[in-house]
Amino acid sequence: MKRAFTLIEMLVVIGIIVILVGASLAGFGAMRKSAERARARELCLQVKTALESIWDADGIWPKTIRQKSSAADSVLDEEVAYELARRGKMALTYDDDSQKTTGVDRFGILSPWGMDAVKNRGSSASLSTSVGNATVKDHLLRFKVDLDGDGVIDGATVGGESVNIRATVAVWCAGRDGKMEGYHKGVKSDDIYTWVPGQTVNVK
């Protein structure tokens, strides 16, 4: 005669299964967040390399890059993205007539979270499209270049803090939440930077 499972044994097995599934889901969530951050960091580094290659090739910054880098909110918008695309530095869709990027790249260079929102919304996406508690605009990458050639980028505004960075090019973006923290707090949050704390001087 076969022995059947008792109710208590069944409940124990179900409990173990629930615990294992819960642990797996928690691990998957952490793994997904880590992968998203890695994608964002890789994108920032790719843009940094693309901008540096323009400087290395020409020894001068194009007018668009100089102007956008000088702006208080130095975002990698469709005009800067076009400059990178037309020079073959990045694979972006663009239009020579309008001198801007087009399609999913029409807003410029977005973090993975912003790009996912644009792809999901398609042609109806705009800079004000929601991405969680932020917008697509909040997920545009930021950048600054060394305009005077002294090896220091002066006055990069990172989450309201002014940062001088020993570099030719600096690129950064907000993390998943779309909120750019002040630099001191941001290094401990999910914001992404292409420089390390040792490269900063005179943070205000």
Side-chain angles (χ1 to χ4, degrees):
M1 184 172 150
K2 291 185 178 178
R3 180 179 172 276
F5 284 110
T6 65
L7 179 60
I8 292 174
E9 289 172 330
M10 290 291 287
L11 290 174
V12 168
V13 170
I14 290 170
I16 291 171
I17 291 171
V18 167
I19 290 169
L20 291 174
V21 169
S24 297
L25 290 175
F28 175 75
M31 197 167 59
R32 189 189 71 188
K33 286 180 181 177
S34 178
E36 287 174 341
R37 280 184 51 78
R39 280 173 59 203
R41 179 157 180 73
E42 181 59 36
L43 177 62
C44 287
L45 289 170
Q46 183 183 357
V47 172
K48 176 180 181 284
T49 300
L51 287 165
E52 285 173 338
S53 69
I54 291 176
W55 176 259
D56 291 341
D58 301 345
I60 189 170
W61 296 112
K63 181 180 178 182
T64 300
I65 291 175
R66 285 197 318 270
Q67 288 177 337
K68 297 292 181 176
S69 181
S70 298
D73 188 18
S74 50
V75 294
L76 277 150
D77 64 11
E78 69 277 13
E79 293 176 20
V80 181
Y82 168 77
E83 197 66 49
L84 295 173
R86 80 173 185 87
R87 290 169 178 264
K89 305 300 182 184
M90 295 192 73
L92 304 168
T93 55
Y94 66 94
D95 175 59
D96 277 326
D97 292 333
S98 66
Q99 297 189 347
K100 293 181 180 178
T101 44
T102 60
V104 292
D105 302 312
R106 65 190 178 275
F107 304 119
I109 302 179
L110 292 163
S111 73
W113 304 282
M115 181 55 75
D116 288 346
V118 169
K119 287 178 179 175
N120 289 338
R121 291 291 295 272
S123 59
S124 66
S126 69
L127 285 172
S128 59
T129 295
S130 293
V131 184
N133 293 326
T135 65
V136 166
K137 184 177 181 180
D138 296 322
H139 282 281
L140 278 166
L141 270 62
R142 271 79 172 162
F143 81 106
K144 280 282 188 183
V145 299
D146 176 14
L147 291 170
D148 58 12
D150 66 352
V152 177
I153 297 167
D154 300 307
T157 304
V158 182
E161 288 186 61
S162 180
V163 185
N164 296 336
I165 306 161
R166 291 188 186 95
T168 303
V169 176
V171 180
W172 66 98
C173 72
R176 182 178 188 63
D177 62 3
K179 181 182 178 185
M180 183 62 67
E181 301 284 358
Y183 179 68
H184 281 106
K185 186 176 180 183
V187 294
K188 298 176 182 175
S189 73
D190 64 345
D191 297 343
I192 311 292
Y193 310 103
T194 59
W195 68 92
V196 296
Q199 290 176 260
T200 60
V201 290
N202 301 326
V203 179
K204 297 177 182 178

